Each structure stands twice: as C-alpha cells, then as structure tokens.
Amino acid sequence: MKTRLALRIGAAAAARLHARLIRSAVRTALDARCGPVELHVTGHHRLFATLDIPVRLQRGRDLGERMHHALRSALRRHRSAILIGADAPSLTPGDLRRAARWLNGGTDLVLAPAEDGGYALIGARRLSPSLFVNIEWGSADVLAQTMANIALAGLKKRLLRTVWDIDRPEDLERLRARRFSSAWRRGARR
C-alpha cells in the first residue's frame, strides 16, 4: 500500500489505488507482449489470484536486494528481464517493447528515469552484484547512484524517456487530471 498517500486519503482508499495501479501495471506488461509476465509481491492478497499470472514472493532486506533477486531469478530462465514499478501508470507497452529491443540488441541495462530522481523500469541482460548497493532508496539520488554503479561495473546502458510515478499526495492530482486509455479505466473497475 502507498503509505505516504494513506496519510492523505486514508488506508482504504490507498489500498484501492494500489490495487488499481497493480492491475494497470500487469495490463501494460501483458499488452507489451515482450514475454512471460509475473508479479513479485511482499505478501499474499486475494487480488493476486484474479490476475492470471504467476505470483512470486519477494526476497531481500531492501528494495535493491528484492530487485536484484527478481532479475537474477528471471535471467536464469530468460535472455533478458524487465522489472516495472506498479506505481508508474505513465509507462506504456511501447516503453517495454523499446526496452526489450534494446536488450535484445546487446544493451546490458535499460532504465526509465522517473521525474522524482528514481526510475520506474529496469531491464537487464546482464547483472552485477554491485548494481543495487549503496543506494539511498526513496531519495532523489536513486537514478544517479544506480548510474554510478552501472559505470563502475562496466555495463552498457540506455535510458528510456522520463516518466512520472505515484508516490506523494500531489501525484494524485496528476493522476486524476490525466485521462488514461480505456485499459486504465477498465482495469480500475475490476
């Protein structure tokens, strides 16, 4: 659940929004048709059974460890993997397809920068154990710190367009003002 948002809109509304964002992210991933889609979660919820995709429990003490584990696990089964945040409704299937093309073309890592200094997507063909270390998760320096780790590891990277995500109460106004595709509205009603 989006805890910062819950303070403003209440826990129940934040939980409904989070469910809507998860459905939207899954729909975006499925619509991209880049490969198998799975959801990595911190706990069980009845919503997950309605999505008709594999659900895996996240492993790791912080966001970096959880992302590293998810990517490493996927790369054992596939040539590349793309991880997206459920809180980035501005990501499109086209963004995911572009990331997949770049990875298939030999790029090691693809990121979609977020306006707040983080990133909403990371795709990988190769990983380094140091990729997600010494990152101040939740800060405005996440992307810059990750880029420094990528450079130190000698990995080739490309950046997608900058997107926005839903983290703060002011982001809700942007979400309300934006008219998303029928897929977003359809996903909101499920």
Side-chain angles (χ1 to χ4, degrees):
M1 180 176 62
K2 308 298 288 179
T3 53
R4 284 183 277 184
L5 296 176
L7 295 174
R8 171 137 177 222
I9 64 175
R16 284 191 303 275
L17 172 64
H18 191 59
R20 211 172 131 193
L21 291 168
I22 289 170
R23 283 190 205 99
S24 177
V26 168
R27 175 59 37 217
T28 297
L30 291 169
D31 287 351
R33 294 186 174 101
C34 292
V37 175
E38 56 190 39
L39 180 66
H40 290 249
V41 300
T42 57
H44 296 286
H45 190 279
R46 65 181 176 266
L47 162 70
F48 306 147
T50 69
L51 299 174
D52 294 326
I53 60 171
V55 176
R56 302 189 190 286
L57 285 176
Q58 294 180 1
R59 290 183 25 209
R61 291 180 301 246
D62 65 18
L63 180 59
E65 283 187 17
R66 292 189 295 269
M67 289 193 303
H68 186 263
H69 176 74
L71 287 169
R72 189 181 66 211
S73 174
L75 289 173
R76 287 185 186 131
R77 295 174 275 129
H78 307 285
R79 290 183 56 222
S80 62
I82 299 172
L83 217 69
I84 65 172
D87 62 350
S90 58
L91 279 173
T92 68
D95 294 322
L96 276 66
R97 286 190 292 269
R98 177 172 285 134
R101 276 194 311 273
W102 288 349
L103 292 168
N104 289 334
T107 300
D108 296 321
L109 295 164
V110 176
L111 294 103
E115 290 177 354
D116 64 5
Y119 48 91
L121 172 153
I122 183 166
R125 190 175 58 85
R126 290 181 47 215
L127 282 179
S128 165
S130 63
L131 187 61
F132 299 111
V133 299
N134 300 320
I135 307 285
E136 296 173 55
W137 300 108
S139 77
D141 298 321
V142 170
L143 179 64
Q145 292 167 345
T146 303
M147 297 293 277
N149 287 349
I150 292 169
L152 286 173
L155 298 171
K156 294 188 312 186
K157 55 93 173 84
R158 289 187 77 174
L159 298 179
L160 293 166
R161 68 186 179 94
T162 300
V163 298
W164 56 277
D165 55 14
I166 308 292
D167 285 327
R168 301 159 299 153
E170 48 271 24
D171 297 327
L172 291 174
E173 295 307 317
R174 190 174 199 178
L175 181 62
R176 285 185 190 115
R178 179 99 174 224
R179 294 289 178 220
F180 283 97
S181 70
S182 61
W184 167 255
R185 290 191 297 276
R186 192 172 47 250
R189 287 192 291 263
R190 288 187 187 151

